[in-house]
Amino acid sequence: MLLVADLDRAVAYYRDRLGFRCSVFGDPPDFATAERDQATILLALCSEPERIVPNWRIVANVWNAFIRVDDVEAVYAEVQGRGAGIDYTIYNAPSGFREFGVQDPDGHDIAFGQPLKPPS
């Protein structure tokens, strides 16, 4: 679950820039789900946005979510084509994943990656 300062802005980002299917709940809206590639991110409106602290502000180089995908190159091209700013470019990480990251409007780092094939 990610806390957000503006639910409409967050939903628009996840839907339009990252290609998630989003559903909004509440009256007035205060919660949303964002789904893609068999992953679900929950978004909750925070009434005190100054208290939102992305993980990387506490521990360096730590994301808020990592989404495992089948074709990271295609997702990378897709989100760039949708105008998402890239936080870190695609590369082969020491963890054994080919990955890249984006940062949402509230500063949360979201990574997309797929396992590297072991050498044959």
Side-chain angles (χ1 to χ4, degrees):
M1 176 160 323
L2 302 179
L3 299 177
V4 300
D6 180 326
L7 192 63
D8 290 337
R9 178 184 70 178
V11 166
Y13 177 81
Y14 281 88
R15 182 191 61 226
D16 301 341
R17 300 290 183 239
L18 301 183
F20 282 78
R21 291 175 314 283
C22 297
S23 299
V24 178
F25 304 91
D27 185 19
D30 61 356
F31 184 81
T33 59
E35 302 174 72
R36 81 164 285 158
D37 297 293
Q38 299 180 4
T40 302
I41 294 178
L42 307 176
L43 305 170
L45 183 61
C46 181
S47 62
E48 298 176 67
E50 66 280 0
R51 298 187 68 188
I52 297 172
V53 181
N55 289 351
W56 61 268
R57 290 193 183 271
I58 299 167
V59 178
N61 303 316
V62 174
W63 342 270
N64 287 87
F66 185 95
I67 299 168
R68 188 173 173 163
V69 297
D70 292 329
D71 186 348
V72 72
E73 300 286 343
V75 175
Y76 186 62
E78 176 194 341
V79 301
Q80 284 184 305
R82 290 173 167 272
I86 301 300
D87 186 44
Y88 65 93
T89 192
I90 197 163
Y91 80 111
N92 294 339
S95 62
F97 281 82
R98 182 147 178 82
E99 66 181 62
F100 72 94
V102 298
Q103 193 171 92
D104 79 5
D106 292 287
H108 302 297
D109 281 348
I110 310 300
F112 294 86
Q114 79 180 80
L116 290 167
K117 293 187 172 136
S120 26

